[in-house]
Amino acid sequence: MANNKVTFGLTNVHYSIATQGADGTWSYANPVRLIGAQEFTSDIVGGNSQVYADDAVIATLIQNAGRTISLKVTELTDEFKVDILGYKKLTNGNLVEITNASVVTFALGIEFQGDVKARRTWFYLCTVTPINEASKTKGDSVEANAITLNITARPIDINAKYKTTHITSCLGDANYANFLTSAPELPEITE
């Protein structure tokens, strides 16, 4: 299948709670859809540096320690706030932010469209900072509010040899249809 010339769109966002076993391996819960995705950016944590000797660059050192992700959504569900942000739902329906809640690790799944094929991606070991909220009065026109999630995706070990932050499936791949609706799995890399 041909490759995309352009990428556009953002849809089909999911999250899956991650649990680390006693042996250090991670497992994932069934994914939950997060409606209202508006914008996504991902930046590498790390960079590169040049090693100079004998008046020349003799090596380039590259560090990829994960990614910082910014995900803008129209609103967060109570379910996301409880599952990921550590809020508590009271019997009367009230939602309470718990400022000393344990950090929850989760996988973040997203889909991008393209001119030829769509691609779906899972980021494996994500954590999110507490959210900021804002609103403003209605005027001559109405503007919707948005919430930005600041997420860190750190690397996960594969086969004790490789590390990765994410995996991508493209339209036409054998696992594409259920990629975001099934619990994320680590890839098996064979030599």
Side-chain angles (χ1 to χ4, degrees):
M1 181 178 265
N3 290 314
N4 286 335
K5 292 181 182 137
V6 294
T7 299
F8 52 85
L10 173 63
T11 187
N12 220 359
V13 175
H14 286 76
Y15 67 90
S16 172
I17 297 174
T19 304
Q20 190 172 29
D23 63 353
T25 61
W26 291 90
S27 61
Y28 295 90
N30 288 330
V32 178
R33 180 87 189 262
L34 184 59
I35 304 291
Q38 292 184 316
E39 191 176 324
F40 171 90
T41 59
S42 167
D43 296 309
I44 297 289
V45 175
N48 63 38
S49 60
Q50 310 300 327
V51 178
Y52 291 88
D54 298 323
D55 293 334
V57 174
I58 62 166
T60 301
L61 305 176
I62 298 174
Q63 171 66 6
N64 180 348
R67 293 180 177 262
T68 56
I69 296 170
S70 177
L71 177 63
K72 185 176 174 183
V73 297
T74 55
E75 184 59 88
L76 290 176
T77 63
D78 288 354
E79 186 176 26
F80 182 87
K81 289 179 179 178
V82 170
D83 290 348
I84 303 300
L85 296 174
Y87 284 52
K88 297 290 182 192
K89 188 132 192 175
L90 304 181
T91 56
N92 64 5
N94 292 173
L95 198 61
V96 180
E97 179 185 21
I98 305 300
T99 58
N100 63 341
S102 297
V103 174
V104 175
T105 299
F106 63 99
L108 177 69
I110 55 171
E111 179 179 326
F112 301 109
Q113 298 296 311
D115 61 325
V116 176
K117 59 185 175 181
R119 73 177 190 264
R120 296 174 173 173
T121 300
W122 276 113
F123 290 88
Y124 288 109
L125 296 179
C126 296
T127 52
V128 63
T129 59
I131 58 171
N132 294 316
E133 296 182 275
S135 191
K136 56 186 169 185
T137 189
K138 294 188 285 185
D140 294 338
S141 62
V142 178
E143 293 181 36
N145 297 321
I147 296 172
T148 299
L149 298 172
N150 296 307
I151 299 167
T152 300
R154 64 187 191 274
I156 190 170
D157 290 328
I158 303 172
N159 298 348
K161 180 176 181 181
Y162 300 104
K163 293 180 181 288
T164 188
T165 55
H166 63 282
I167 187 171
T168 300
S169 179
C170 292
L171 185 63
D173 291 351
N175 63 345
Y176 181 80
N178 299 321
F179 191 76
L180 291 176
T181 55
S182 299
E185 296 179 357
L186 287 177
E188 294 182 19
I189 299 174
T190 56
E191 301 296 324

